[in-house]
Amino acid sequence: MNDAVPEKKLKLATAALCGCFGCHMSLLDIDERILKLVELVEFDRTPLTDIKAVGNCDIGLIEGGVANTENVEVLRDFRRHCKVLVAFGACAVNGGIPAMRNQFDLQDCLQEVYLDGIGVENPHIPDDPEIPLLLDKVHPVHEVVKIDYFLPGCPPSADTIWIFLNELIAGEAITFPYSLIHYD
Ligand code: SF4
């Protein structure tokens, strides 16, 4: 791992599309190492900074799959502004848990959730124009834009994220110890 502090900080942005924020929570699990991370990068749009629009960045981390029209917009915006774009966690890599709905027709899902499901009160399918339209299927991010790196795991562990970011920032080939790449 490279301990040198770069002269110029890289810019890092992150976004959660259709995910559970678990990957972002795992990023926070690097604990006090976040102090080292802020020596290496400046945070742009992230849930941590609450900046709403992504600026020109060196690295973008995308959590979650692409489930609605707003997800598509955010993802394309990140692709336009980030030199390196990373599919961050299983939902971004392969659709993950949200993509379990792909085996059903979207209309059937809405019917079950909002009209017929157990415990539904005031049954109606929300149609406020402010709510982004759902796509027919949940897509992994690489089906929508070009992705440079895939970091699997649900979520990727804090140690995996730490090594990945350090080596990426240092411009080194990314290698993980065996303990971080076996899952049994
Ligand atoms: Fe949550 Fe796992 Fe998906 Fe990350 S990969 S957003 S932790 S379900």
Side-chain angles (χ1 to χ4, degrees):
M1 206 170 298
N2 192 329
D3 285 332
V5 176
E7 285 173 13
K8 185 172 178 295
K9 288 184 181 183
L10 298 187
K11 278 200 163 188
L12 173 69
T14 76
L17 306 182
C18 188
C20 72
F21 274 89
C23 292
H24 275 78
M25 295 308 291
S26 196
L27 171 60
L28 293 181
D29 279 343
I30 65 174
D31 297 328
E32 70 277 5
R33 290 174 291 185
I34 201 152
L35 298 174
K36 173 70 180 165
L37 187 59
V38 295
E39 286 180 6
L40 302 175
V41 299
E42 180 184 338
F43 287 102
D44 190 83
R45 173 184 166 158
T46 75
L48 306 176
T49 55
D50 212 25
I51 296 172
K52 303 296 185 200
V54 62
N56 289 330
C57 286
D58 298 285
I59 302 168
L61 301 181
I62 301 288
E63 169 188 320
V66 186
N68 63 38
T69 49
E70 184 185 55
N71 295 160
V72 173
E73 256 175 58
V74 171
L75 182 56
R76 286 186 174 154
D77 208 24
F78 265 66
R79 180 66 281 179
R80 276 193 293 274
H81 287 90
C82 299
K83 291 180 193 158
V84 171
L85 201 57
V86 182
F88 179 35
C91 293
V93 170
N94 61 26
I97 289 176
M100 290 173 74
R101 79 158 160 91
N102 289 357
Q103 59 190 308
F104 303 104
D105 183 80
L106 175 59
Q107 204 53 42
D108 291 344
C109 292
L110 292 171
Q111 177 95 13
E112 177 66 19
V113 170
Y114 291 110
L115 302 179
D116 300 338
I118 297 169
V120 170
E121 292 191 17
N122 183 22
H124 71 288
I125 296 177
D127 60 356
D128 189 299
E130 295 243 333
I131 300 175
L133 283 176
L134 288 174
L135 305 181
D136 280 345
K137 302 290 177 199
V138 177
H139 297 268
V141 291
H142 71 269
E143 287 185 3
V144 180
V145 298
K146 178 179 174 290
I147 294 294
D148 302 294
Y149 289 91
F150 294 81
L151 193 60
C154 179
S157 70
D159 287 343
T160 306
I161 297 167
W162 177 245
I163 289 176
F164 176 79
L165 285 177
N166 265 277
E167 296 188 339
L168 187 62
I169 291 164
E172 295 171 356
I174 291 157
T175 52
F176 296 106
Y178 179 69
S179 60
L180 293 182
I181 53 173
H182 83 104
Y183 298 95
D184 55 358

